[in-house]
Amino acid sequence: MNFTVKIWGVALSLAGALCTGPVSAQRVKTAAFSYVPEQTDDRYNQRVPRKTLPVAGTTDFVVLGHRSATEYSVERYDAELKKVWTAAVPVAAGESIETFAANTEQAMVVIHHKDAAAQYLSVLPINLKSGQKANPQKLIDASPRDRRPGVAISPDGKRILAFRYLTREVQIKAISATLYDQQLTKLKDRIYDFHDLGDLFSPAVHVANDGTQYVTLVSDKMKKLSLRRYRLDTNDVQVLSVAVGGTFGGKAVNVFDTKFTMQPNGVIFGAAICTERETGQYYSLKLVKFDPTQGGDLKFAPEFRFTPEYLAEVNKAGQTSSKRLEDVYLSDVVFTPDSALVVVAEKKYEEGGDDSPTHARELHLFGYNQFQTPTWHTIIAKNQVASPAEGFAGIGYRVAAFGNELQIVTQEKLKNKSDLYLRRVNARTGVVSEPKKLGLNVADQNLAYVKDFTTWLDAKTIIGVSRPNKKSAALMLNKIVSK
């Protein structure tokens, strides 16, 4: 497997410049695990992509399990994979899980209900210490003819923002939102008004730990990134916009894809891939930062251009011969504890038609320093295929940041071994370790559970679910310690 890193435009061979030492791993604990595959009409977007969450301040974790067509469960495990408690989560006809989250006191399962007469979101709180369930509480109502309502949860899990869309025909004109605290006490109702934007825009809603609400938008016919801030102590709205599309060198350039992430202090990073409108050719990657602690302006990072030289690097890493970049989508914006930032994009596509397999190929990583200056980029080649039934839910990766290092876990078949593989990326230099298998021997079937339940308890401890072999009907919950 080949890797290419460029630092300040200088190509480095990784043969002798890998991250510190080889990665080794050992599976130290296992426990029986039950799982019923999800049934969904949307193979492209998962409502609950992460079903295992660490319990803050402990070595325990909670898991959202799917027991049957009418019941989920939340289970708490300790570091020895002993089950501490189980809480059943009934799901009736017309209901589905919207969000799974946790804070220091409780796990929360948000459920969407829809029938011919009503549509609403409710939350089921579960005490993390005892597993005791509180009464479900309705968060927001919407007409059954309206768009599906949504929910945003703060990074610390202590603020819940439920919202519904107000539309005219198919265009969003406003969003009505209600903010709750950790005890599910209503704090404030708010209307986000977009009548000034016209048509063709796409909003996303975020909430910070202090309850400040943000709406990020792609507007002005896919040319601008905009941010609107709604504080609790005032009804004033801060509106900021920056043009990332436009006409450059005679070429009309539009926003193709975006990814926003918010830090606990309210700092928001937004990445945008721009393409040429006429040809669809990938043009550049742009990064913006909004920092309410430093004046609250939108600040640009220098753009990264997708040049023919970059395409050559992609082809070299993946041993391919593509004529252009295609099907590359933003997937993560990772901010490390020591203030480096890495934008991750992934190539994902289906062969053609609703009943064709889906593929996830190379990862594109772009590194920035603490001043948001681009410092390196690298391409990690991989080759994943999922069945039509699983779509993109069954493939992809998991990433976590520890100090100066990113850890990336994928399920792949390398050297005829199907397993979870761990790579370590130096967030300052872009240097990538060779992939090392975690020793689960993942069987090649029904792979969606692999990614959904993979998480880190700390920099050396990974939790994952696997099927020991193709003939086994049972799944195993695994604790893996890397060295």
Side-chain angles (χ1 to χ4, degrees):
M1 184 156 299
N2 299 320
F3 302 94
T4 301
V5 177
K6 278 200 172 182
I7 304 175
W8 296 105
V10 179
L12 299 180
S13 168
L14 295 189
L18 296 175
C19 288
T20 55
V23 178
S24 61
Q26 181 181 5
R27 179 167 47 175
V28 296
K29 292 287 182 180
T30 62
F33 188 80
S34 60
Y35 165 82
V36 176
E38 304 283 350
Q39 300 296 322
T40 177
D41 294 330
D42 189 348
R43 302 183 301 139
Y44 303 97
N45 300 294
Q46 283 183 280
R47 298 260 171 217
V48 190
R50 296 181 183 272
K51 297 182 175 68
T52 300
L53 303 174
V55 177
T58 75
T59 56
D60 290 10
F61 58 96
V62 288
V63 173
L64 176 67
H66 190 197
R67 289 185 167 186
S68 69
T70 59
E71 186 176 279
Y72 285 75
S73 67
V74 175
E75 299 173 336
R76 178 168 176 165
Y77 292 85
D78 66 15
E80 303 304 309
L81 302 193
K82 293 180 180 178
K83 195 178 297 183
V84 179
W85 50 255
T86 298
V89 181
V91 177
E95 293 184 339
S96 59
I97 304 297
E98 180 71 21
T99 301
F100 177 49
N103 53 45
T104 55
E105 297 181 6
Q106 60 194 13
M108 296 172 289
V109 182
V110 179
I111 298 173
H112 174 254
H113 173 96
K114 184 177 182 180
D115 57 31
Q119 181 180 195
Y120 59 84
L121 293 178
S122 63
V123 60
L124 175 66
I126 303 169
N127 185 284
L128 281 177
K129 289 184 178 179
S130 65
Q132 185 71 32
K133 296 185 291 185
N135 291 326
Q137 178 171 324
K138 186 180 291 187
L139 297 174
I140 201 162
D141 285 291
S143 165
R145 296 179 298 278
D146 288 348
R147 289 186 179 217
R148 182 175 177 133
V151 64
I153 297 179
S154 62
D156 64 4
K158 296 181 179 180
R159 295 288 185 269
I160 302 174
L161 184 72
F163 56 90
R164 63 187 180 94
Y165 298 95
L166 308 177
T167 61
R168 181 180 301 157
E169 296 178 347
V170 297
Q171 181 61 55
I172 299 170
K173 292 298 181 183
I175 289 177
S176 175
T178 302
L179 180 68
Y180 298 88
D181 66 11
Q182 187 170 355
Q183 286 72 41
L184 299 179
T185 301
K186 183 189 290 190
L187 299 178
K188 191 165 187 173
D189 292 319
R190 199 78 188 243
I191 297 290
Y192 316 140
D193 194 315
F194 308 128
H195 284 81
D196 59 309
L197 289 178
D199 295 334
L200 296 177
F201 66 90
S202 175
V205 180
H206 318 262
V207 59
N209 289 346
D210 64 359
T212 301
Q213 297 144 56
Y214 300 88
V215 178
T216 52
L217 304 116
V218 182
S219 61
D220 193 23
K221 298 182 179 179
M222 308 305 288
K223 291 185 178 66
K224 284 185 178 179
L225 295 185
S226 300
L227 180 143
R228 300 187 177 202
R229 180 167 67 153
Y230 304 82
R231 292 166 39 183
L232 291 184
D233 58 354
T234 177
N235 288 325
D236 294 339
V237 183
Q238 183 180 12
V239 179
L240 297 168
S241 294
V242 61
V244 296
T247 301
F248 307 101
K251 297 177 180 178
V253 173
N254 289 347
V255 176
F256 166 72
D257 191 31
T258 60
K259 183 70 178 182
F260 292 91
T261 186
M262 184 178 63
Q263 305 306 307
N265 62 355
V267 175
I268 290 181
F269 291 96
I273 289 177
C274 297
T275 56
E276 297 176 22
R277 186 173 63 190
E278 295 299 324
T279 65
Q281 293 274 8
Y282 279 54
Y283 183 80
S284 68
L285 170 68
K286 298 190 178 184
L287 181 76
V288 297
K289 177 185 179 182
F290 171 78
D291 189 346
T293 69
Q294 296 184 358
D297 292 329
L298 276 177
K299 295 183 179 180
F300 253 137
E303 71 175 353
F304 177 88
R305 287 292 306 276
F306 294 116
T307 62
E309 291 76 15
Y310 183 77
L311 177 61
E313 292 178 40
V314 174
N315 283 329
K316 181 179 180 181
Q319 298 181 350
T320 55
S321 57
S322 300
K323 302 299 183 184
R324 55 188 281 171
L325 287 179
E326 291 181 311
D327 304 311
V328 177
Y329 300 92
L330 293 165
S331 49
D332 277 296
V333 180
V334 184
F335 191 72
T336 71
D338 66 349
S339 300
L341 185 139
V342 180
V343 176
V344 186
E346 183 180 27
K347 182 171 183 174
K348 297 166 67 173
Y349 63 95
E350 58 184 356
E351 290 180 5
D354 292 339
D355 297 322
S356 63
T358 53
H359 296 255
R361 298 290 179 123
E362 70 265 6
L363 294 176
H364 302 245
L365 278 66
F366 306 89
Y368 299 78
N369 63 19
Q370 65 267 38
F371 306 109
Q372 285 74 63
T373 301
T375 52
W376 58 266
H377 65 270
T378 188
I379 300 104
I380 299 178
K382 63 183 179 71
N383 184 5
Q384 299 172 300
V385 183
S387 68
E390 291 198 317
F392 295 126
I395 48 182
Y397 67 95
R398 283 281 180 259
V399 62
F402 298 97
N404 194 41
E405 181 180 83
L406 264 60
Q407 295 188 24
I408 297 176
V409 169
T410 60
Q411 187 282 322
E412 295 180 75
K413 192 170 187 177
L414 301 177
K415 297 179 181 178
N416 211 32
K417 295 291 185 180
S418 180
D419 208 327
L420 290 188
Y421 287 86
L422 174 66
R423 295 174 177 88
R424 289 173 169 165
V425 182
N426 187 310
R428 287 295 184 195
T429 66
V431 175
V432 186
S433 72
E434 292 285 355
K436 296 296 180 180
K437 60 190 178 106
L438 297 184
L440 298 189
N441 299 318
V442 178
D444 288 323
Q445 54 179 330
N446 300 323
L447 295 176
Y449 63 83
V450 176
K451 187 174 64 173
D452 290 358
F453 294 103
T454 298
T455 197
W456 285 259
L457 300 185
D458 55 47
K460 295 184 179 297
T461 308
I462 296 174
I463 299 298
V465 171
S466 68
R467 191 184 307 277
N469 56 69
K470 292 183 179 181
K471 295 181 180 179
S472 173
L475 297 177
M476 300 299 294
L477 181 65
N478 305 281
K479 175 183 176 182
I480 307 110
V481 175
S482 61
K483 300 177 181 178

